[in-house]
CSV table of all heavy atoms in Angstrom, one decimal:
chain,number,residue,atom,x,y,z
A,1,MET,N,10.4,-17.1,33.6
A,1,MET,CA,9.6,-15.9,33.6
A,1,MET,C,8.1,-16.1,33.6
A,1,MET,O,7.4,-15.5,34.3
A,1,MET,CB,9.9,-15.1,32.3
A,1,MET,CG,9.2,-13.8,32.1
A,1,MET,SD,9.6,-13.0,30.6
A,1,MET,CE,11.3,-12.7,30.8
A,2,LEU,N,7.7,-17.2,33.0
A,2,LEU,CA,6.3,-17.5,33.0
A,2,LEU,C,5.8,-18.0,34.3
A,2,LEU,O,4.7,-17.7,34.8
A,2,LEU,CB,6.0,-18.6,31.9
A,2,LEU,CG,6.2,-18.2,30.5
A,2,LEU,CD1,6.1,-19.4,29.5
A,2,LEU,CD2,5.2,-17.1,30.1
A,3,ASN,N,6.7,-18.7,35.1
A,3,ASN,CA,6.3,-19.2,36.4
A,3,ASN,C,6.1,-18.0,37.4
A,3,ASN,O,5.2,-18.0,38.2
A,3,ASN,CB,7.4,-20.2,37.0
A,3,ASN,CG,7.5,-21.4,36.1
A,3,ASN,OD1,6.5,-21.8,35.5
A,3,ASN,ND2,8.6,-22.1,36.1
A,4,ASP,N,7.1,-17.1,37.4
A,4,ASP,CA,6.9,-15.9,38.3
A,4,ASP,C,5.7,-15.1,37.9
A,4,ASP,O,5.0,-14.6,38.8
A,4,ASP,CB,8.2,-15.0,38.1
A,4,ASP,CG,9.5,-15.8,38.6
A,4,ASP,OD1,9.3,-16.7,39.4
A,4,ASP,OD2,10.6,-15.4,38.1
A,5,THR,N,5.4,-15.0,36.7
A,5,THR,CA,4.2,-14.2,36.3
A,5,THR,C,2.9,-14.9,36.8
A,5,THR,O,2.0,-14.3,37.4
A,5,THR,CB,4.1,-14.1,34.8
A,5,THR,OG1,5.3,-13.5,34.3
A,5,THR,CG2,2.9,-13.3,34.4
A,6,ASN,N,2.8,-16.2,36.7
A,6,ASN,CA,1.6,-17.0,37.1
A,6,ASN,C,1.5,-16.9,38.6
A,6,ASN,O,0.4,-16.7,39.2
A,6,ASN,CB,1.7,-18.4,36.7
A,6,ASN,CG,1.6,-18.5,35.2
A,6,ASN,OD1,0.9,-17.7,34.6
A,6,ASN,ND2,2.2,-19.5,34.5
A,136,ARG,N,-1.5,-27.3,38.8
A,136,ARG,CA,-2.0,-27.9,37.6
A,136,ARG,C,-1.7,-27.0,36.4
A,136,ARG,O,-1.4,-27.4,35.3
A,136,ARG,CB,-3.6,-28.1,37.7
A,136,ARG,CG,-3.9,-29.3,38.6
A,136,ARG,CD,-5.4,-29.7,38.4
A,136,ARG,NE,-6.3,-28.6,38.8
A,136,ARG,CZ,-6.8,-28.4,40.0
A,136,ARG,NH1,-6.4,-29.3,41.0
A,136,ARG,NH2,-7.6,-27.5,40.3
A,137,MET,N,-1.9,-25.7,36.6
A,137,MET,CA,-1.7,-24.7,35.5
A,137,MET,C,-0.2,-24.7,35.1
A,137,MET,O,0.2,-24.7,33.9
A,137,MET,CB,-2.1,-23.3,35.9
A,137,MET,CG,-3.6,-23.1,36.0
A,137,MET,SD,-4.0,-21.5,36.6
A,137,MET,CE,-3.4,-20.5,35.2
A,138,GLN,N,0.7,-24.9,36.2
A,138,GLN,CA,2.1,-24.9,35.9
A,138,GLN,C,2.5,-26.2,35.1
A,138,GLN,O,3.3,-26.1,34.1
A,138,GLN,CB,2.9,-24.9,37.2
A,138,GLN,CG,4.4,-24.8,37.0
A,138,GLN,CD,4.8,-23.5,36.3
A,138,GLN,OE1,4.2,-22.5,36.6
A,138,GLN,NE2,5.8,-23.6,35.5
A,139,ALA,N,1.9,-27.3,35.4
A,139,ALA,CA,2.1,-28.5,34.7
A,139,ALA,C,1.6,-28.4,33.3
A,139,ALA,O,2.3,-28.8,32.3
A,139,ALA,CB,1.4,-29.7,35.4
A,140,GLN,N,0.4,-27.9,33.1
A,140,GLN,CA,-0.1,-27.7,31.7
A,140,GLN,C,0.8,-26.7,30.9
A,140,GLN,O,1.1,-27.0,29.7
A,140,GLN,CB,-1.5,-27.2,31.8
A,140,GLN,CG,-2.5,-28.2,32.3
A,140,GLN,CD,-3.9,-27.6,32.5
A,140,GLN,OE1,-4.1,-26.4,32.1
A,140,GLN,NE2,-4.8,-28.4,32.9
A,141,LEU,N,1.2,-25.7,31.6
A,141,LEU,CA,2.1,-24.7,30.9
A,141,LEU,C,3.4,-25.3,30.5
A,141,LEU,O,3.9,-25.1,29.4
A,141,LEU,CB,2.3,-23.5,31.8
A,141,LEU,CG,3.1,-22.3,31.2
A,141,LEU,CD1,2.4,-21.8,30.0
A,141,LEU,CD2,3.3,-21.2,32.3
A,142,ASP,N,4.0,-26.1,31.4
A,142,ASP,CA,5.3,-26.8,31.1
A,142,ASP,C,5.1,-27.8,29.9
A,142,ASP,O,6.0,-27.8,29.1
A,142,ASP,CB,5.8,-27.5,32.3
A,142,ASP,CG,6.2,-26.6,33.5
A,142,ASP,OD1,6.5,-25.4,33.2
A,142,ASP,OD2,6.2,-27.0,34.6
A,143,GLU,N,4.0,-28.4,29.9
A,143,GLU,CA,3.7,-29.4,28.8
A,143,GLU,C,3.6,-28.6,27.5
A,143,GLU,O,4.1,-29.0,26.5
A,143,GLU,CB,2.4,-30.2,29.1
A,143,GLU,CG,2.1,-31.2,28.1
A,143,GLU,CD,0.8,-32.0,28.5
A,143,GLU,OE1,0.3,-31.7,29.6
A,143,GLU,OE2,0.5,-32.9,27.7
A,144,ARG,N,2.8,-27.5,27.5
A,144,ARG,CA,2.7,-26.7,26.3
A,144,ARG,C,4.0,-26.1,25.9
A,144,ARG,O,4.3,-26.1,24.7
A,144,ARG,CB,1.7,-25.6,26.5
A,144,ARG,CG,0.3,-26.1,26.7
A,144,ARG,CD,-0.7,-24.9,26.9
A,144,ARG,NE,-2.0,-25.4,27.2
A,144,ARG,CZ,-3.0,-24.5,27.4
A,144,ARG,NH1,-2.8,-23.2,27.5
A,144,ARG,NH2,-4.3,-25.0,27.6
A,145,ILE,N,4.8,-25.7,26.8
A,145,ILE,CA,6.1,-25.1,26.5
A,145,ILE,C,7.0,-26.2,25.8
A,145,ILE,O,7.7,-26.0,24.9
A,145,ILE,CB,6.8,-24.5,27.7
A,145,ILE,CG1,6.1,-23.2,28.1
A,145,ILE,CG2,8.3,-24.2,27.4
A,145,ILE,CD1,6.6,-22.7,29.4
A,146,GLN,N,6.9,-27.4,26.4
A,146,GLN,CA,7.7,-28.5,25.8
A,146,GLN,C,7.3,-28.8,24.4
A,146,GLN,O,8.1,-29.0,23.5
A,146,GLN,CB,7.6,-29.7,26.7
A,146,GLN,CG,8.5,-30.9,26.3
A,146,GLN,CD,10.0,-30.5,26.4
A,146,GLN,OE1,10.3,-29.8,27.3
A,146,GLN,NE2,10.8,-31.1,25.5
A,147,GLY,N,5.9,-28.8,24.2
A,147,GLY,CA,5.4,-29.0,22.8
A,147,GLY,C,5.9,-28.0,21.9
A,147,GLY,O,6.3,-28.2,20.7
A,148,VAL,N,5.8,-26.7,22.3
A,148,VAL,CA,6.3,-25.6,21.5
A,148,VAL,C,7.8,-25.7,21.2
A,148,VAL,O,8.2,-25.5,20.0
A,148,VAL,CB,6.0,-24.2,22.2
A,148,VAL,CG1,6.6,-23.1,21.4
A,148,VAL,CG2,4.4,-24.0,22.3
A,149,ARG,N,8.6,-26.1,22.2
A,149,ARG,CA,10.0,-26.2,21.9
A,149,ARG,C,10.3,-27.4,20.9
A,149,ARG,O,11.1,-27.2,20.1
A,149,ARG,CB,10.7,-26.5,23.2
A,149,ARG,CG,10.8,-25.3,24.2
A,149,ARG,CD,11.5,-25.7,25.5
A,149,ARG,NE,11.6,-24.5,26.3
A,149,ARG,CZ,12.1,-24.6,27.6
A,149,ARG,NH1,12.5,-25.7,28.1
A,149,ARG,NH2,12.2,-23.5,28.3
A,150,THR,N,9.5,-28.4,21.1
A,150,THR,CA,9.7,-29.5,20.1
A,150,THR,C,9.3,-29.1,18.7
A,150,THR,O,10.1,-29.4,17.7
A,150,THR,CB,8.8,-30.7,20.5
A,150,THR,OG1,9.1,-31.1,21.8
A,150,THR,CG2,9.0,-31.9,19.6
A,151,ARG,N,8.2,-28.4,18.5
A,151,ARG,CA,7.8,-27.9,17.2
A,151,ARG,C,8.8,-26.9,16.7
A,151,ARG,O,9.2,-26.9,15.5
A,151,ARG,CB,6.4,-27.3,17.2
A,151,ARG,CG,5.3,-28.3,17.4
A,151,ARG,CD,4.0,-27.7,17.1
A,151,ARG,NE,3.6,-26.7,18.1
A,151,ARG,CZ,3.0,-26.9,19.2
A,151,ARG,NH1,2.6,-28.2,19.5
A,151,ARG,NH2,2.7,-25.9,20.0
A,152,LEU,N,9.4,-26.0,17.6
A,152,LEU,CA,10.4,-25.1,17.2
A,152,LEU,C,11.6,-25.7,16.7
A,152,LEU,O,12.3,-25.3,15.7
A,152,LEU,CB,10.7,-24.1,18.4
A,152,LEU,CG,11.6,-23.0,18.1
A,152,LEU,CD1,11.1,-22.1,17.0
A,152,LEU,CD2,11.9,-22.2,19.4
A,153,ASP,N,12.0,-26.8,17.4
A,153,ASP,CA,13.2,-27.6,16.9
A,153,ASP,C,13.0,-28.1,15.6
A,153,ASP,O,13.9,-28.1,14.7
A,153,ASP,CB,13.5,-28.7,17.9
A,153,ASP,CG,14.0,-28.1,19.3
A,153,ASP,OD1,14.5,-27.0,19.3
A,153,ASP,OD2,13.9,-28.8,20.3
A,154,ARG,N,11.8,-28.7,15.4
A,154,ARG,CA,11.4,-29.2,14.0
A,154,ARG,C,11.5,-28.1,13.0
A,154,ARG,O,12.0,-28.3,11.9
A,154,ARG,CB,10.1,-29.9,14.1
A,154,ARG,CG,10.0,-31.1,14.9
A,154,ARG,CD,8.6,-31.7,14.9
A,154,ARG,NE,8.5,-32.8,15.8
A,154,ARG,CZ,7.3,-33.4,16.1
A,154,ARG,NH1,6.2,-33.0,15.6
A,154,ARG,NH2,7.3,-34.5,16.9
Side-chain angles (χ1 to χ4, degrees):
M1 182 181 295
L2 294 175
N3 295 336
D4 295 338
T5 303
N6 292 329
R136 286 196 298 271
M137 291 178 63
Q138 185 65 37
Q140 293 177 0
L141 185 61
D142 293 338
E143 184 178 358
R144 292 181 182 177
I145 291 174
Q146 186 63 32
V148 171
R149 287 179 178 176
T150 304
R151 288 194 294 271
L152 184 60
D153 294 336
R154 293 177 182 174

